[in-house]
Amino acid sequence: MLFGTFDYSILALIFLINILVWKFKIIKKRNWILYLVAFLFFGFVIPLLSVDFEIEKATKDQPIVDNFTLLYTYFRFPVWWFIGVVETFILRNLITKIKA
């Protein structure tokens, strides 16, 4: 499975943050801090937490777990990197519309 429960909850949270930014105009200008936070969260924090939750879920009832069983968890990193790039473009478009 490409996404787990944790991933769906984080995607819903990201969707709600986008709606809040769009409706209430929370972020008024782009700066390097916004991109740094997005890079850190989508590059490291969210994928590591996603992999950790998935490994815990997959090994909970298994007596013997080999590395091949958990190989698919490494593909969470490129998926979250792609979502981070898409989110950066969405935020950039929302902020430029707020400025105008």
Side-chain angles (χ1 to χ4, degrees):
M1 185 160 53
L2 193 56
F3 282 128
T5 309
F6 175 78
D7 299 317
Y8 288 126
S9 61
I10 292 295
L11 284 174
L13 184 68
I14 291 169
F15 183 70
L16 289 175
I17 289 172
N18 284 340
I19 289 175
L20 289 175
V21 167
W22 176 62
K23 286 274 192 193
F24 299 111
K25 298 171 180 59
I26 296 171
I27 303 172
K28 304 237 187 258
K29 65 178 186 173
R30 293 184 308 203
N31 55 12
W32 63 273
I33 295 173
L34 177 70
Y35 294 119
L36 180 66
V37 169
F39 173 73
L40 288 176
F41 273 109
F42 289 108
F44 298 108
V45 175
I46 295 175
L48 284 174
L49 288 175
S50 175
V51 167
D52 185 47
F53 278 101
E54 186 64 29
I55 289 173
E56 288 295 323
K57 188 180 91 171
T59 61
K60 184 170 47 173
D61 296 329
Q62 300 286 334
I64 299 172
V65 178
D66 59 350
N67 288 335
F68 189 70
T69 305
L70 301 174
L71 184 64
Y72 71 97
T73 59
Y74 291 117
F75 294 115
R76 300 277 174 111
F77 281 91
V79 169
W80 279 108
W81 292 341
F82 177 73
I83 292 171
V85 168
V86 169
E87 177 66 19
T88 303
F89 286 128
I90 289 172
L91 281 178
R92 183 186 305 169
N93 288 337
L94 287 175
I95 293 170
T96 54
K97 286 180 184 178
I98 289 171
K99 281 178 150 178

